[in-house]
Amino acid sequence: MRPPVGAPSLTRRTRILLAAAGVLVVLLLGGSRLLNFYVDYLWFGEVGFRSVQLTRLFTQIVLFGVVGLVVGGLVALTLWLAYRYRPVFVPVSGPEDPVARYRTTIIQRLRLFAVGVPAAIGLIAGLAAPVQWQTVQTFLHGTPFGQVDPEFGNDIAFYAFTLPFLRMVLNWLFVAIALCFVLALITHYIFGGIRLTGRSGFVSTAARAQLAVLAGVFVLLKAVAYWFDRYDLLWSNRNSQTFYGATYTDLNAVLPAKLILLIIAVVCALAFFYAAFRQNLQIPAVAVVMLVISSILVGTAFPLVLQQFVVAPNANEREAPSIERNIAATRDAFGIGPDTVNIVPYAGESEATPAQVRADTDTIPNIRLLDPGKLNRTFTQLQQRRNFYGFAPNLDIDRYTIDGETQDYVVAAREMDANALVGNQQDWINRHLVYTHGNGFVAAPANQVNEALEDAGGQGGLPLFTVSDTQTEGRIPVDQPRIYYGELLDNQYSIVGAEEGTPPREYDSDEAQYTYTGAGGVPVGGLFNRAVFALAYGERNILFNSSINSESKIMYVRNPRDRVQAVAPWLTLDNDPYPAVVDGRIQWIVDGYTTLQNYPYAERVELGDATADSRLGPDGQQLPNETISYLRNSVKATVDAYDGTVKLYAFDESDPVLQTWSKAFPGSVSPRSEISPDLQAHLRYPEDQFKVQRELLTRYHVDNPGEFFSTVSFWDVPSDPTAPGGAEGGVQDAQPPYYLYAGLPNQEGASFQLTSALVSLRRQFLASYVSAASDPENYGEITVLQLPNETQTLGPQQVQAQFLGSPEVSQELNLLRQNQTTIDYGNLLTLPVAGGLLYVEPVYIERAGQDSSYPQLARVLVSYGGRVGYNASLSAALDEVFGAGAGDAAGGAAPTTGEQPSQQEPPDPNGAEAPVAPPAAPTGAQAAAAQEIRDALNDLRAAQQAGDFARQGEALAELDRAVEAFQSSGG
């Protein structure tokens, strides 16, 4: 018989080439990681959060080492035992026996296989482990909640911090034992401990013992898993269409079944251990069969029977205790309990008089006419100044107190927009060394425009801008208006700074250049750092450009949200950072949330779905669609727009999750007491948290479990009626909440609020009005004005349909569309006024098909108690609804004196607000044609009211002639 032939050996040259290739691969992979680590190391040092990076890295390295050593060590021990107790003599089935060839190859390279296989498996396991670093840190620093679950009596911290870690350890042990079992089986087969020859095959005593012990350990781990499975019932989704948490079936069938299966699993494991020392495998086989049958009968069949024949016929009674637990847990987990939410009965219907409307001096004067989601192009066309500046797609709302008067403003930062650079501006020097920063803070009172559109020769309906930049000092003074960090600077790096005496090179204005003097940026003057960043960005100019000197610094990670996320990876961030002038500096304010996935009995929310709305659209920045059952706005973060300084403030210091992470990263979060009064005055109730809470309040305002089960009193978040197709009943995203400076019933004075209307379940009638306070003295208080169930107050969709169905409105809008004009509906605001609900919607027009066009406020729609007002000014529209004099207190068109909507003339270099020439007055022909249009419209309305079709035809013909005359005159 010919002995087995071994595999051919490698030549010395081949081994050298393979080793060199391996080293090259390691350098390519490891070198890139090392480069990125060093770049991050420099950045974390710049922002002062290097301990965050190092703590995270240390945890990941320890996880890599521990998991790799445990898994690799168990594999190595398994292989050693299988090889050590292999049969001395192994029969060969023939000269072509493949097993013998493998056996010979392994024996010839025994050390390679003995070390290489465990090392490779340990390396793979170790590389997979670091992603769970947060689980380890929360386990090590877990903080008690001081609350226990209603079923097992464990502190909530056990489910938030301890159980995930124990599950992680158990899962890795499952993986390790499963790998060991498979490798032991293969090894024993290769070395003859297991043979498939003959009728029944052959298993050696050593192989049987080792495999039985491994199987017993696996089943014993399964018994531990059954013990942990009991706790998973507290967030069961068995009845997820109604509520989350342990149901009657879970508590009375599944929970006992888990304990029964645990006992059977322990017995099964003991049977395997017994078989390791006995020849008979019948006992463990019977135990396994018993475990499988029990899991089917006890774990699956019995709960189904109980659910169908006991629970389902009486579900409202059987599930009442669990629903009650779910209501209490959800309110606590999401901050919508009675301590935060105040539900107030509200009539929703009223026959208000003009005097009552005028008397509402908290809401009527502050009604917002400017929609921040619609005015990006208006701000851009009138305040961009240069093509490379830009504003965020959705502007923001904040409030400021000027001359003792507080009101809300549409605010924006004039940022550098690298994507808008054209021609030679895109040269590397211009892109990264010259055009480095934005310039200025732009704001406009949200309740005013310069003039009514029809009274200003086409130049009305525009914001009244106040601008603070390097050349202009507006009504909101800014000490340092240059913006080096902003939302439009995602992937843009800039190299700034210069030695003393070096001419400035950064563009600041057409008359001046600037040299950065702030603390932001990483030093890049040394040759080593220049080489590092040249490699990191693949740009040789960084290494050879002569303008980069010993004082130069490179700025990167410039988006405020990205900077906060990097220094606080444990936070979920709100998707809408907003700029605010705080103590004279432009600060980006970012809201940070702490979340948990498994809070006992609490509702589970898909975060991305719950925070989506029509304003974000399909391409808007949306939160990740992760499942959460706990949410707290625990951190307020700020990013300085000039030097990039990041500060985290503990806003909800009672949050145990925040306390846990503060222990993990000591010193990274400042106490709430360090929030300055000026910063506190600009903190807003965050939109994403409010969206989640309003979604939950549609159900969890109900206290009675029976009523909750019937869903009869549930509400809905309305779809946005102003989105395309919204009024026609198309499927629309949710209506976004709106920031308002307004009053509330039984509240003295106006306050800054985040508001939303809610409608009845699957109906469009208004059910309630929700408002979250943002002022420092009552921040976080949520007021719900609940309308009586029997009323049929119109909701947003119905009001929009009422607007568009009004003959006067529809006719004039159709005429505007025929005149090459695009109609855009602004935010439909819901306001509690004089015991009823007032709806206000601005209507914007824009010349169609022109790149330089921008929205202008053309009309204001008002609805109250079924009556509709429609006019170029808010005051006139209110008068149409309530009667003469009702709109006297309203804002809207402001006097022509003061600041003007555009600033096209060069500003005063001394820093004073530049006077701006008013819009050119219309010519005589234009004015005459405009008057003819108004007369024709009046004639058309009168003919329609009289039902005289002949007069309607004449009026339409006259209107066409008047429009042609107006266009030919240059209008």
Side-chain angles (χ1 to χ4, degrees), residues 724-778:
E728 286 76 21
V731 177
Q732 297 294 315
D733 289 327
Q735 185 182 37
Y738 299 123
Y739 287 105
L740 301 172
Y741 190 70
L744 276 175
N746 303 319
Q747 173 185 293
E748 290 187 9
S751 62
F752 193 65
Q753 315 160 29
L754 183 58
T755 67
S756 177
L758 297 177
V759 295
S760 301
L761 182 65
R762 300 296 183 267
R763 303 191 70 198
Q764 296 301 329
F765 291 108
L766 198 69
S768 64
Y769 172 85
V770 184
S771 171
S774 293
D775 289 345
E777 59 272 14
N778 59 353

Side-chain angles (χ1 to χ4, degrees), residues 235-253:
W235 42 85
S236 167
N237 63 352
R238 179 182 300 275
N239 202 358
S240 59
Q241 291 185 343
T242 304
F243 69 97
Y244 280 88
T247 65
Y248 182 90
T249 300
D250 291 323
L251 296 176
N252 294 276

Side-chain angles (χ1 to χ4, degrees), residues 221 304 350 375 669 698 714 834 866:
L221 291 176
L304 287 176
S350 171
L375 295 179
V669 182
T698 60
F714 283 7

